[in-house]
Amino acid sequence: MEQLNRFLLLLHVAAGSLALLSAIFAISFRKGAKNHNLAGKTYFWSMMAVAATAIPVSILRPNLMLFFVAIFSSYMAYAGWRFGRKSRYIMARQPYVEWAMLVVGIAMIFSGLVQVFTGSPMGWVLVAFGAIGLQFAVQDLRGWGKAEDFGTRISNHLSHMLGGTIATVTAVLVQQLVPRLDPSSPFKVIVWLAPTVIITPLIIIWARKVKATQKVRLFQK
């Protein structure tokens, strides 16, 4: 069992590293270009691999935080991929995945608050990620089945994909920094939340500009 856990962790780290690199490349390439599409597909499948390895690890070594964040990041990557594919934007299926994310978001917030009230400040991390996941799930459900213009669709694509990237960046920082901190150090919470606090405003600005101008480039006139 321990060997299986180590193997899954190795795959998890490799998939997370590939997801981070492909996200950087996807942002750098022009939307619609072959390089962008290839980087986007690589990012999507890497994020699916991240979740597929993180969930069993979180069960083998019970870790509620890892379990919830894996679901959150995989949902963001999936929804971002859906918005990025025009042919898959309006789907015939029922929004079961979106409803599931709504339930998970509520569960994350509840679990986080329980941890906070029992003396664990790390609960705020679950509250933050849960609130973001819940907000996106509600937004996606409200827009389900509606045809939207290019700017709105790509704005949704960007915000979801980059939201998933926040989880990937967070995971890298946590793996590198948190083990070096004292178990009771309050800086653990800062490490977990810093990428969200720093990157989220940039995502909002970019997504709003795309929606308003119908242009993807952040600094494009």
Side-chain angles (χ1 to χ4, degrees):
M1 191 65 69
E2 184 62 26
Q3 289 183 340
L4 174 61
N5 188 66
R6 290 180 179 178
F7 177 69
L8 289 172
L9 280 174
L10 181 62
L11 291 180
H12 178 73
V13 172
S17 300
L18 183 58
L20 184 57
L21 287 174
S22 57
I24 294 173
F25 283 120
I27 293 171
S28 303
F29 296 134
R30 178 177 60 83
K31 169 66 180 172
K34 290 183 179 180
N35 289 337
H36 175 87
N37 293 338
L38 177 60
K41 288 179 181 178
T42 303
Y43 171 79
F44 170 74
W45 288 111
S46 297
M47 291 297 287
M48 295 302 103
V50 166
T53 51
I55 291 175
V57 167
S58 69
I59 296 173
L60 290 173
R61 288 185 176 180
N63 187 325
L64 190 62
M65 181 81 71
L66 179 61
F67 178 80
F68 277 138
V69 172
I71 295 177
F72 167 84
S73 59
S74 61
Y75 173 79
M76 297 298 281
Y78 161 76
W81 168 79
R82 181 173 71 82
F83 281 113
R85 295 289 300 277
K86 185 176 181 180
S87 62
R88 300 179 184 273
Y89 180 47
I90 302 299
M91 302 182 72
R93 69 165 176 82
Q94 295 298 311
Y96 300 120
V97 176
E98 289 69 20
W99 278 110
M101 185 63 236
L102 185 145
V103 173
V104 170
I106 294 174
M108 291 173 73
I109 295 172
F110 177 78
S111 299
L113 290 175
V114 169
Q115 290 186 27
V116 170
F117 291 135
T118 54
S120 175
M122 285 298 292
W124 289 117
V125 175
L126 277 178
V127 172
F129 278 94
I132 294 172
L134 179 61
Q135 186 271 326
F136 273 107
V138 171
Q139 173 185 306
D140 296 344
L141 285 168
R142 292 180 64 182
W144 187 263
K146 297 179 181 178
E148 297 176 335
D149 58 41
F150 173 81
T152 300
R153 181 171 63 85
I154 299 304
S155 174
N156 287 331
H157 169 66
L158 279 171
S159 58
H160 284 78
M161 284 294 199
L162 294 176
T165 303
I166 288 178
T168 306
V169 173
T170 301
V172 172
L173 289 178
V174 168
Q175 289 173 353
Q176 296 299 318
L177 298 180
V178 169
R180 304 178 184 181
L181 298 175
D182 184 87
S184 60
S185 174
F187 289 104
K188 290 171 61 177
V189 179
I190 295 176
V191 173
W192 270 96
L193 293 179
T196 301
V197 173
I198 295 172
I199 300 176
T200 297
L202 299 177
I203 296 176
I204 294 173
I205 293 171
W206 193 356
R208 285 181 177 176
K209 183 170 182 179
V210 170
K211 189 173 182 179
T213 65
Q214 305 288 305
K215 295 179 180 179
V216 178
R217 292 287 183 180
L218 181 59
F219 300 108
Q220 185 175 359
K221 294 181 180 181

